[in-house]
């Protein structure tokens, strides 16, 4: 049963990546008739309303403690504000740039998420992840140039990087409430972020799309945002954040392939060079998560003498080999003490990871 649950989680993670990947090429098509801000608004509204409809059938079965409380609203507010800005930047980037570049640049979100987690939340970053960040950053820099005969700056790619940076910070906010209701998180993201973008579009006096185009965008939003986020969070419960991120890293490559098929975009030499660096960076992410989740079982024999008698305890435990040095992997500090005639061993290693 455990193996089946793991396989289901892997399937959900890959499904989340594929669903998100269809966003870029189809948004490129719809942006011919829908303005970027209205596009972002209806994508998120489609996600919020669609998952909200699913929530109606699940609400009664949900535990009260799983629902978002007052202590979570600061992170919810940050999540919503960033989810208003990010898709607007992305839609502008796709509209004035290429869908293939935008898809590939999606992995810069991993870099942004990691650096923000390191700088603001003081989380540990492994050597492999630093190498991955280097390759993905280099790929992203190359993609900010058109590379068609000369190094011309690509404004579209810059907007995509702004979008992924917003989502990187948003990921850190969402992680703080990831143990709460999946339905509530997606609904709040969708309805409030979409509503915020909608009012911004009205303020900018952008043309309101036809109802047929609105429904098409909302359907795309339900699949590529709503179901993608929903399956991603559910996959985390079985795989953990690290492994889920590794599987989700395939999304930009799927999106790039779909861009070639549906958008008939010309492949520049710069794109292929960037693709090589992006693949290398992604491989290092996968390797990092595999090693991070690798555990070893250790047995410790501890002898205590008290009240004139000697007691020996054999304690077996396991821990992940993630951010440990070679020495730390095999030598651990233990604190043992006597309390109410019970010998207890406290062994803890903080290995926080985004």
């Amino acid at each position: 049963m455990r193996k089946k649950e793991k396989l289901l989680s892997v399937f959900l993670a890959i499904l989340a990546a594929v669903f998100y990947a269809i966003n870029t090429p189809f948004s490129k098509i719809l942006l011919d008739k829908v303005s970027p801000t209205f596009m972002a608004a209806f994508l998120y509204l489609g996600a919020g309303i669609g998952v909200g409809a699913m929530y109606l059938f699940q609400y009664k079965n949900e535990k009260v403690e799983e629902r978002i409380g007052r202590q979570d609203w600061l992170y919810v507010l940050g999540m919503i504000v960033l989810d208003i800005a990010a898709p607007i930047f992305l839609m502008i980037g796709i509209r004035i740039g290429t869908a293939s570049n935008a898809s590939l640049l999606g992995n810069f979100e991993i870099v942004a998420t990691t650096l923000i987690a390191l700088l603001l939340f003081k989380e540990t970053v492994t050597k492999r992840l630093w190498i991955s960040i280097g390759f993905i950053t280099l790929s992203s820099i190359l993609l900010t140039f058109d590379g068609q005969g000369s190094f011309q700056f690509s404004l579209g790619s810059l907007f995509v990087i702004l979008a992924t940076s917003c989502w990187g910070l948003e990921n850190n906010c969402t992680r703080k409430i990831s143990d709460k209701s999946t339905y509530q998180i997606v609904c709040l993201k969708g309805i409030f972020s979409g509503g915020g973008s909608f009012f911004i579009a009205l303020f900018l006096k952008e043309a309101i799309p036809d109802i047929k185009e609105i429904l098409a965008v909302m359907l795309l939003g339900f699949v590529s945002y709503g179901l993608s986020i929903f399956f991603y969070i559910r996959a985390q419960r079985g795989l953990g954040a690290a492994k889920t991120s590794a599987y989700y890293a395939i999304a930009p490559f799927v999106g790039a392939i779909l861009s070639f098929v549906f958008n008939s975009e010309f492949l520049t030499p710069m794109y292929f060079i960037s693709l090589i660096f992006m693949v290398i960076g992604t491989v290092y992410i996968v390797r990092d998560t595999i090693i991070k989740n690798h555990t070893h079982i250790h047995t410790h024999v501890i002898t205590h003498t008290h009240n004139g008698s000697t007691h020996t305890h054999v304690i077996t435990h396991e821990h992940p080999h993630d951010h440990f040095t070679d020495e730390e992997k095999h030598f651990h500090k233990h604190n043992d003490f006597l309390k109410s005639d019970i010998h207890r061993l406290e062994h803890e290693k903080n290995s926080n990871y985004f």
Side-chain angles (χ1 to χ4, degrees):
M1 185 65 182
R2 177 67 175 169
K3 186 176 181 180
K4 289 183 178 179
E5 291 176 356
K6 284 271 188 180
L7 289 175
L8 177 60
S9 296
V10 170
F11 175 73
L12 291 176
I14 294 175
L15 196 61
V18 172
F19 279 170
Y20 180 73
I22 72 173
N23 172 51
T24 305
F26 287 102
S27 290
K28 181 73 173 178
I29 296 171
L30 290 167
L31 280 166
D32 289 337
K33 297 181 179 180
V34 183
S35 65
T37 313
F38 268 128
M39 186 77 181
F42 290 119
L43 281 171
Y44 263 114
L45 285 172
I49 294 172
V51 175
M54 295 167 54
Y55 191 30
L56 293 175
F57 299 96
Q58 182 63 27
Y59 181 79
K60 291 183 178 179
N61 300 325
E62 193 174 69
K63 296 179 180 178
V64 176
E65 57 269 23
E66 291 179 354
R67 295 170 189 165
I68 293 174
R70 289 183 179 180
Q71 69 279 8
D72 305 313
W73 282 110
L74 179 62
Y75 295 111
V76 170
L77 180 61
M79 179 183 73
I80 290 170
V81 171
L82 291 164
D83 274 334
I84 291 174
I88 294 175
F89 287 144
L90 178 61
M91 292 304 112
I92 294 173
I94 293 173
R95 188 173 192 175
I96 65 178
T98 65
S100 54
N101 273 23
S103 293
L104 202 58
L105 278 169
N107 265 351
F108 190 77
E109 184 179 331
I110 298 171
V111 176
T113 301
T114 305
L115 292 179
I116 291 168
L118 172 67
L119 298 175
L120 295 184
F121 296 92
K122 309 302 180 183
E123 293 189 5
T124 305
V125 178
T126 65
K127 291 181 180 179
R128 283 183 175 84
L129 198 52
W130 277 121
I131 294 172
S132 173
I133 288 172
F135 278 112
I136 294 175
T137 302
L138 177 58
S139 174
S140 301
I141 292 172
L142 292 175
L143 284 172
T144 58
F145 297 94
D146 287 335
Q148 299 178 9
S150 63
F151 283 98
Q152 294 180 329
F153 183 73
S154 171
L155 189 59
S157 293
L158 178 60
F159 273 103
V160 176
I161 289 176
L162 284 173
T164 56
S165 297
C166 287
W167 269 317
L169 181 54
E170 185 268 342
N171 285 340
N172 283 277
C173 291
T174 303
R175 186 176 65 253
K176 293 295 183 178
I177 57 172
S178 60
D179 59 335
K180 299 297 183 178
S181 168
T182 309
Y183 293 96
Q184 284 190 338
I185 292 174
V186 180
C187 286
L188 288 170
K189 276 175 175 280
I191 294 174
F192 286 97
S193 299
S197 297
F198 181 82
F199 285 111
I200 291 174
L202 291 178
F203 177 78
L204 295 174
K205 297 181 180 180
E206 294 184 357
I208 299 177
D210 294 336
I211 186 65
K212 181 175 66 175
E213 293 156 357
I214 291 174
L215 292 176
V217 175
M218 291 182 70
L219 178 61
L220 177 61
F222 170 61
V223 175
S224 64
Y225 280 16
L227 292 181
S228 178
I229 297 169
F230 185 88
F231 289 140
Y232 183 88
I233 296 173
R234 286 301 173 92
Q236 281 186 324
R237 295 180 179 180
L239 297 174
K243 280 190 176 181
T244 306
S245 296
Y247 288 112
Y248 198 77
I250 70 171
F253 305 110
V254 176
I257 293 171
L258 293 175
S259 298
F260 304 148
V261 174
F262 292 100
N263 305 122
S264 302
E265 294 182 348
F266 177 72
L267 304 182
T268 65
M270 186 63 70
Y271 175 84
F272 285 109
I273 295 172
S274 301
L275 178 62
I276 292 171
F277 288 122
M278 191 67 77
V279 169
I280 294 173
T282 305
V283 167
Y284 269 100
I285 291 173
V286 175
R287 283 176 55 82
D288 183 76
T289 57
I290 291 173
I291 292 175
K292 193 268 178 189
N293 285 275
H294 176 62
T295 59
H296 278 183
I297 296 177
H298 293 268
T299 300
H300 301 271
V301 179
I302 299 177
T303 302
H304 306 267
T305 301
H306 63 92
N307 295 332
S309 61
T310 300
H311 301 270
T312 299
H313 303 271
V314 179
I315 301 174
T316 301
H317 68 100
E318 63 177 31
H319 64 78
H321 283 188
D322 48 357
H323 310 304
F324 295 8
T325 64
D326 288 336
E327 184 177 4
E328 287 174 320
K329 288 178 182 178
H330 298 91
F331 297 91
H332 319 279
K333 181 180 178 180
H334 294 82
N335 297 314
D336 47 87
F337 58 92
L338 177 66
K339 184 177 181 181
S340 301
D341 295 325
I342 298 176
H343 300 285
R344 299 172 60 190
L345 173 67
E346 291 189 347
H347 178 77
E348 179 177 348
K349 177 70 180 180
N350 182 15
S351 55
N352 215 358
Y353 186 84
F354 86 93

